[in-house]
């Protein structure tokens, strides 16, 4: 960590979207707020076409947050698209995987949220369900998109001995849920550490890394209703010190 900083520098990935005739790159502010409240210094990282820059970013960063957003393009895991597939951004997919691999090579603490856990899985050779209901037949709800982001929606069971269990100090956590995709085949070196009642994978970890954790729920949206959800960001920042 740069000695002129008192706070670890935490990269936060962004999405790009068209609004009328303009293209913006942005992220929901609650990611920034969570990193700030956890003691980190947020650094917003746009999609960069030149993947060589991933190494340059990784050299500066102390930790990385892969944020939520679009569905991954199934080309990233060699599968044809289903009709249920939502909005995709292949440039973002490829950039985030390059950035993740560069940060992973330095064993930086990495936290993936929602789409982020899916990126972490696909980057290690894993695959996704493009649509949970269509492909598994589960009738459990994972995407009440009419609800506010901080709406608690379902429980997850967290494995003993996992990083996530140590963070929340419970095996039974209530979370929000805004995803119709989920991890399918597990990537190399990853282990499932939390599931929903229908078997949907809600967390992945790599226990051989300093901090390599992806969760399917939106922890960044929950601290305003319950400060204990900030723990996941505090653990990331602490691991980066
Ligand atoms: Mn869920």
């Amino acid at each position: 960590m740069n000695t002129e900083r008192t706070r670890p520098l935490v990269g936060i990935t962004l999405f790009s979207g068209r609004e009328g005739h303009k293209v913006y790159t942005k992220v929901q502010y609650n990611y920034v707020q969570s990193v700030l409240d956890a003691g980190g210094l947020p650094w917003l990282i746009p999609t960069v076409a030149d993947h060589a820059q991933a190494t340059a970013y990784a050299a500066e960063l102390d930790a990385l947050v892969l944020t939520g957003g679009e569905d991954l393009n199934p080309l990233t895991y060699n599968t044809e698209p289903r009709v249920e597939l939502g909005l995709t951004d292949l440039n973002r997919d490829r950039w985030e995987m390059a950035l993740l691999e560069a940060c992973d090579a330095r064993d930086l603490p990495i936290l993936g949220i929602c789409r982020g856990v899916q990126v972490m899985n696909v980057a290690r050779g894993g695959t996704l369900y493009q649509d949970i209901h269509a492909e598994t037949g589960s009738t459990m709800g994972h995407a009440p998109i009419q609800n506010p982001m901080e709406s608690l929606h379902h429980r997850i069971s967290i494995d003993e001995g996992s990083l996530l269990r140590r963070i929340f100090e419970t095996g039974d956590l209530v979370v929000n849920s805004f995803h119709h995709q989920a991890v399918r085949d597990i990537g190399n070196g990853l282990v499932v550490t939390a599931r929903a009642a229908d078997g949907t994978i809600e967390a992945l970890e790599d226990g051989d890394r300093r901090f390599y954790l992806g969760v399917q729920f939106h922890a960044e949206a929950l601290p305003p209703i319950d400060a204990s959800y900030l723990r996941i960001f505090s653990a990331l920042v602490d691991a980066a010190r």
Side-chain angles (χ1 to χ4, degrees):
M1 197 172 120
N2 183 322
T3 52
E4 291 176 22
R5 286 197 296 271
T6 56
R7 287 167 169 253
L9 190 61
V10 181
I12 300 173
T13 58
L14 306 180
F15 72 90
S16 302
R18 193 170 283 280
E19 290 179 26
H21 63 287
K22 298 173 181 172
V23 177
Y24 290 91
T25 184
K26 56 187 182 180
V27 70
Q28 289 199 70
Y29 192 78
N30 49 25
Y31 289 100
V32 173
Q33 191 69 58
S34 293
V35 167
L36 284 169
D37 290 346
L41 185 63
W43 187 11
L44 305 189
I45 303 180
T47 295
V48 177
D50 175 10
H51 291 183
Q53 303 312 316
T55 312
Y57 271 115
E60 298 296 326
L61 291 171
D62 299 309
L64 176 67
V65 178
L66 295 167
T67 60
E70 302 91 340
D71 288 355
L72 266 81
N73 190 312
L75 285 171
T76 59
Y77 48 97
N78 298 315
T79 304
E80 294 305 312
R82 293 183 59 98
V83 293
E84 297 87 359
L85 187 69
L87 182 68
T88 59
D89 180 350
L90 189 56
N91 292 329
R92 179 181 177 185
D93 297 345
R94 289 176 169 158
W95 164 249
E96 286 190 338
M97 279 192 261
L99 184 63
L100 169 61
E101 281 162 19
C103 289
D104 198 16
R106 287 196 58 211
D107 196 15
L108 292 181
I110 297 162
L111 173 64
I113 301 275
C114 196
R115 167 193 159 87
V117 66
Q118 298 169 9
V119 170
M120 291 167 95
N121 188 51
V122 171
R124 295 283 192 95
T127 65
L128 304 178
Y129 290 114
Q130 295 181 41
D131 186 88
I132 298 166
H133 176 60
E135 291 176 87
T136 73
S138 172
T139 54
M140 185 176 156
H142 285 276
I145 54 172
Q146 71 280 16
N147 280 3
M149 287 294 290
E150 67 274 20
S151 301
L152 295 175
H153 195 61
H154 68 65
R155 324 184 77 87
I156 60 172
S157 297
I158 305 173
D159 289 358
E160 254 180 90
S162 64
L163 172 60
L164 193 61
R165 180 84 168 239
R166 289 198 297 280
I167 290 170
F168 286 105
E169 297 178 303
T170 180
D172 182 21
L173 189 69
V174 183
V175 298
N176 53 0
S177 185
F178 293 93
H179 61 110
H180 77 115
Q181 301 206 303
V183 169
R184 185 173 191 155
D185 301 307
I186 314 302
N188 297 324
L190 302 180
V191 289
V192 177
T193 58
R195 288 184 189 268
D198 64 351
T200 294
I201 292 169
E202 293 278 342
L204 286 181
E205 300 180 16
D206 181 345
D208 293 335
R209 293 288 194 262
R210 189 146 54 115
F211 186 112
Y212 192 99
L213 170 63
V215 293
Q216 195 58 72
F217 67 97
H218 283 273
E220 80 287 356
L222 294 172
I225 62 154
D226 184 340
S228 69
Y229 291 99
L230 188 66
R231 286 180 185 191
I232 197 164
F233 285 91
S234 302
L236 177 78
V237 171
D238 290 347
R241 289 187 191 283

